[in-house]
Amino acid sequence: MRVAFKQTRTTPALKEAVASSGQFWRMADGRFRWELGNPATMILIFDKESVQLKEGAAAPWQTLKPDDSRVRMWMKFLSGREMDAESLTQNFTLKVTQQEETFVTVAMIPRPLLIKKYLKQLDMQIEPGGKRLLGFRIVQGDGSTLRMNFGPPEKLGSDVDRLFQP
């Protein structure tokens, strides 16, 4: 599937939020591609074995291990690793903070004290029944936030292998 998204970042140091758009492709076999910007200025590709990262339009491609500190958090989120109910409740206290007809908001507060210094809370906005993630917000220890709003998923055509080549 392919999902378009809009990302908005706020920090105490900036007067105005910074917004950008992007795309995310996720395959049933676990591969994914993440692009931020239009045209893409950051691209992250996971082919089930290694991570390819490009951190700027003119930057070279880097090959990383999935547990590299620069991509570890995104790997967990984008690959779905550690996003099952058992892992989430082991690492976070979960609380429904808003329940509407079209969405439910679940707050995730980290349990480990070391993480709380850097990460205050994650909020997931989910369609009722948990079928689709509508939005995601990260609240960092310094008050910075990253909000992502996801569009509807789209089915892919047959030529997807090109997406997983740097």
Side-chain angles (χ1 to χ4, degrees):
M1 75 172 162
R2 177 191 166 277
V3 175
F5 65 88
K6 181 177 180 185
Q7 175 178 297
T8 306
R9 183 179 295 277
T10 62
T11 68
L14 296 175
K15 289 183 180 181
E16 293 186 30
V18 176
S20 56
S21 59
Q23 302 180 77
F24 174 60
W25 292 264
R26 177 81 156 81
M27 307 305 292
D29 65 6
R31 296 178 296 162
F32 65 80
R33 179 182 180 110
W34 177 270
E35 290 185 2
L36 182 61
N38 188 8
T41 55
M42 196 279 288
I43 302 171
L44 181 71
I45 299 172
F46 177 60
D47 64 7
K48 296 195 307 185
E49 293 179 20
S50 65
V51 176
Q52 303 294 320
L53 176 64
K54 185 172 174 114
E55 296 181 291
W61 283 97
Q62 303 170 58
T63 301
L64 307 172
K65 293 182 178 182
D67 63 349
D68 186 288
S69 62
R70 292 176 286 176
V71 295
R72 183 178 18 230
M73 182 187 82
W74 289 110
M75 287 298 300
K76 288 179 181 182
F77 175 65
L78 297 172
S79 69
R81 291 186 313 171
E82 298 184 36
M83 295 300 283
D84 59 276
E86 182 181 339
S87 295
L88 287 175
T89 55
Q90 179 181 351
N91 295 308
F92 296 93
T93 300
L94 304 175
K95 180 180 178 185
V96 174
T97 58
Q98 188 174 6
Q99 195 160 1
E100 304 290 332
E101 190 174 312
T102 56
F103 68 88
V104 174
T105 302
V106 178
M108 302 167 45
I109 297 141
R111 288 183 187 270
L113 289 175
L114 180 61
I115 293 175
K116 287 182 181 182
K117 180 178 178 181
Y118 303 102
L119 178 65
K120 277 188 177 177
Q121 182 170 317
L122 303 172
D123 295 317
M124 291 190 302
Q125 220 171 44
I126 307 165
E127 269 186 343
K131 295 192 184 242
R132 182 174 153 225
L133 180 63
L134 302 170
F136 193 72
R137 183 176 73 140
I138 300 168
V139 181
Q140 296 176 300
D142 67 356
S144 299
T145 63
L146 174 67
R147 175 178 265 303
M148 301 176 75
N149 293 312
F150 300 98
E154 301 171 12
K155 290 192 178 197
L156 297 174
S158 59
D159 186 25
V160 296
D161 287 336
R162 64 177 174 73
L163 293 171
F164 301 97
Q165 298 170 4

